[in-house]
Amino acid sequence: MKVTRKMVNKHLRFRGMLIDKLVTKSTEEAFIQSMHNSKKQMDKRFKGKDVEGLDCSEEWISRGDGSSIRVRIYKALGPVSAVPGVLWIHGGGYAQGVPEMSGDMYKRLIDTSECVIVAPDYRLSIDSPYPAALDDCYKVLLWIKNQAKELGIRDDQLMVGGESAGGGLTVALALLARDKGEVNLAFQLPLYPMLDDRMLSESARDNNAYVWNSDTNRWGWKLYLGKLFGRNVPIYAAAGRAADYSGLPPAITFVGDIEPFRDETIRYVERLRAAGIPVDFKIFKGAYHGFDIINPKADISKAARNFLMDSFKYATRHYFAKQN
């Protein structure tokens, strides 16, 4: 899908063009090097940074092999009891990012409907390909269930969400939780999720949009899947490959109409609805990947975030899933 400048929402054009010049690379080698550089920069800029107005803390969860997962926990100030628990998985193409970079999202979610947010610093694909990230997120999900009372969380309202690769991990985690039967999820928030490595849809093929295009998407998948790339990829690695989404929790998602993930997001929504699962979904015209983060002050970004928060508030009042 060829994207022209005129197709981009006028309030998103300048910031998108600027970010694109900074982050888009012309070769796979340059992309991989930029992911390594970005990891160092994000660690330096965000790691350990608290969110003003929230109770922020940190835990380390054992993987069982002598290593541990760093986890950030965000709560409202003051006593917290019997509120929803949200496992939030940061984006970054599976290759970059830290949980602290989503601080604005945490503040908005907590202000919208009081909850406790647990955000894992999962292993990145540049260091450890699939299934490292998913394994980390699943261990943290089980930890939340087991520590719910101590965290101030009600265990019948465990939710999971994330942007981009975090959205892809959200859906993969929902599938894994369903199939393992060890923990039940009440709601999912996979925003413009990175779901399908095959890149067969119109929006995924030959997409030259700002910020994330077909080339960066392919390189991101190659890093994440490692030796599995181009082979028989399991549904927990690329959740868009799943044929059965029955038994998954209700969902909220949105996506821009010019970005590579448009069609796979639409397909996911359609299959959830076909399985009888409630979904709130909107497509935002002229929006590239991550538009709401890149230019949060634009009207279209505010509309997307308001849509998300309205759905989240509804979910916290209406969706529950008792644990076995």
Side-chain angles (χ1 to χ4, degrees):
M1 182 176 72
K2 294 298 182 184
V3 177
T4 65
R5 185 176 181 274
K6 288 184 178 180
M7 293 168 66
V8 183
N9 179 285
K10 63 181 181 180
H11 300 295
L12 299 176
R13 284 175 194 164
F14 178 75
R15 187 71 64 88
M17 184 168 51
L18 180 63
I19 295 296
D20 191 66
K21 289 182 180 297
L22 291 172
V23 303
T24 302
K25 306 302 175 186
S26 59
T27 67
E28 183 176 359
E29 292 74 18
F31 171 79
I32 293 172
Q33 185 58 53
S34 73
M35 292 299 101
H36 284 280
N37 293 340
S38 177
K39 182 179 186 298
K40 295 176 183 176
Q41 293 167 4
M42 287 193 173
D43 281 352
K44 185 176 180 180
R45 180 181 176 186
F46 291 109
K47 204 167 184 178
K49 183 179 180 181
D50 290 339
V51 179
E52 186 176 353
L54 295 182
D55 179 346
C56 309
S57 60
E58 192 165 295
E59 294 283 347
W60 292 83
I61 300 172
S62 173
R63 292 190 179 95
D65 62 359
S67 65
S68 299
I69 309 161
R70 188 178 71 93
V71 172
R72 296 285 293 178
I73 301 170
Y74 301 86
K75 302 179 180 182
L77 298 175
V80 174
S81 178
V83 300
V86 181
L87 172 62
W88 194 266
I89 309 170
H90 70 76
Y94 297 105
Q96 62 177 327
V98 290
E100 289 91 339
M101 70 186 195
S102 299
D104 289 344
M105 175 67 78
Y106 307 149
K107 186 70 165 62
R108 188 83 181 269
L109 287 168
I110 291 170
D111 287 348
T112 295
S113 188
E114 189 175 0
C115 58
V116 173
I117 294 174
V118 180
D121 191 6
Y122 61 84
R123 285 171 289 178
L124 302 174
S125 63
I126 54 173
D127 300 316
S128 303
Y130 172 84
L134 184 62
D135 286 349
D136 286 354
C137 292
Y138 187 70
K139 281 191 179 295
V140 174
L141 179 60
L142 292 180
W143 179 81
I144 296 171
K145 175 190 172 184
N146 294 331
Q147 298 294 317
K149 187 175 181 180
E150 290 78 5
L151 290 166
I153 290 170
R154 53 183 300 164
D155 68 2
D156 64 348
Q157 278 202 306
L158 303 185
M159 304 178 178
V160 60
E163 312 101 333
S164 188
L169 283 165
T170 292
V171 181
L173 196 63
L175 288 168
L176 189 62
R178 179 198 67 183
D179 296 345
K180 280 182 170 288
E182 295 177 315
V183 57
N184 295 323
L185 294 170
F187 193 60
Q188 56 171 315
L189 306 89
L191 310 182
Y192 35 85
M194 186 173 175
L195 293 172
D196 201 331
D197 64 297
R198 294 168 295 184
M199 297 177 57
L200 299 176
S201 69
E202 179 188 358
S203 67
R205 292 194 309 268
D206 301 318
N207 189 306
N208 62 322
Y210 296 148
V211 182
W212 193 257
N213 57 41
S214 293
D215 287 337
T216 48
N217 195 34
R218 184 178 302 105
W219 300 333
W221 277 115
K222 285 181 73 174
L223 276 173
Y224 182 58
L225 297 177
K227 294 179 181 179
L228 289 173
F229 184 75
R231 298 185 180 181
N232 188 21
V233 176
I235 62 171
Y236 308 119
R241 286 176 171 262
D244 178 16
Y245 293 117
S246 62
L248 295 191
I252 162 70
T253 185
F254 62 84
V255 71
D257 78 328
I258 59 174
E259 74 140 291
F261 301 156
R262 181 197 68 193
D263 292 346
E264 57 205 68
T265 302
I266 292 171
R267 184 169 179 266
Y268 181 55
V269 168
E270 289 175 346
R271 289 196 164 192
L272 285 176
R273 287 175 173 166
I277 297 165
V279 186
D280 286 337
F281 175 54
K282 279 192 177 181
I283 301 175
F284 288 91
K285 185 174 177 58
Y288 45 73
H289 188 65
F291 68 96
D292 58 312
I293 297 173
I294 290 168
N295 193 352
K297 294 182 179 180
D299 288 345
I300 190 173
S301 301
K302 292 176 182 177
R305 285 295 170 95
N306 288 338
F307 169 64
L308 171 64
M309 295 306 155
D310 287 346
S311 182
F312 176 64
K313 180 182 285 188
Y314 181 90
T316 61
R317 295 176 178 177
H318 294 87
Y319 295 137
F320 304 86
K322 290 183 179 180
Q323 301 306 320
N324 298 328

